[in-house]
Amino acid sequence: DFLDGVALTDLDALRKMYGQDFDAERTLLNALNTWSLGVLSCDFFHADVHAGNLLAMEDGRVAFLDFGIVGRVPPRIWTALRDAGASVAAEDYKGLAQALCDMGAADSVDIDQFATDLEALIKSLDDVNPQIALQEAEGGVAAQIAVDDSEITEVLLKLVQLTERNGIKLPREFGLLVKQALYFDGYTKL
């Protein structure tokens, strides 16, 4: 099938196609929502959402191309992700350590030490300095929050080092999900 659209990252072509109605944020949200729903509701998800595999279409939809790389999130991983999220929200670092162990391959892990390491990593997020820009908008004030990519990359590298140091190998699916999230994060910088 032929899909008529333009690359999600070609802002000039998007402006030409959509005209004054062009809303880059809405287009990106359409892509992100479509991908996220696919991850949550389908057996397999598109695991290569680089710019060449996404087309914005004239009717506002986003087409996903080339399903040569797909991922699947087994129920065990979903359960561990849910438990990890709940543990982070409750600041239960031992629960987070256990959830990450349940998610990955681990021989013998000192859960208490792993929890201590995770707590230090999460608290280091307080050192990430967001830049906040306020501007007047129709009907009020709009805010944009940006974070230095290098700070986030540093935190992710620390997480990888922390899991390796504690004897945990996170599953391929986790890496695929993070990779796709980083693609979408990159699109917000356009």
Side-chain angles (χ1 to χ4, degrees), residues 3-119:
L3 295 172
D4 190 16
V6 298
L8 194 66
T9 56
D10 188 342
L11 297 180
D12 291 333
L14 288 167
R15 284 186 192 96
K16 184 177 178 184
M17 182 171 67
Y18 291 130
Q20 292 180 337
D21 295 334
F22 174 59
D23 182 347
E25 184 176 345
R26 182 179 60 202
T27 302
L28 178 60
L29 285 174
N30 284 346
L32 180 59
N33 287 338
T34 300
W35 179 79
S36 298
L37 286 171
V39 170
L40 295 172
S41 61
C42 298
D43 289 336
F44 297 93
F45 64 91
H46 195 296
D48 196 20
V49 294
H50 64 76
N53 283 342
L54 300 176
L55 282 183
M57 298 171 60
E58 195 166 348
D59 64 3
R61 293 179 300 157
V62 176
F64 287 72
L65 310 173
D66 185 8
F67 281 76
I69 300 175
V70 295
R72 180 179 176 278
V73 182
R76 173 183 66 84
I77 303 295
W78 279 126
T79 300
L81 284 170
R82 183 198 65 222
D83 293 347
S87 295
V88 168
E91 296 183 11
D92 173 10
Y93 302 107
K94 191 170 183 176
L96 176 58
Q98 185 60 58
L100 290 173
C101 286
D102 293 344
M103 181 188 308
D107 295 324
S108 63
V109 176
D110 180 342
I111 295 291
D112 292 324
Q113 180 59 54
F114 189 29
T116 299
D117 291 347
L118 286 168
E119 181 177 8

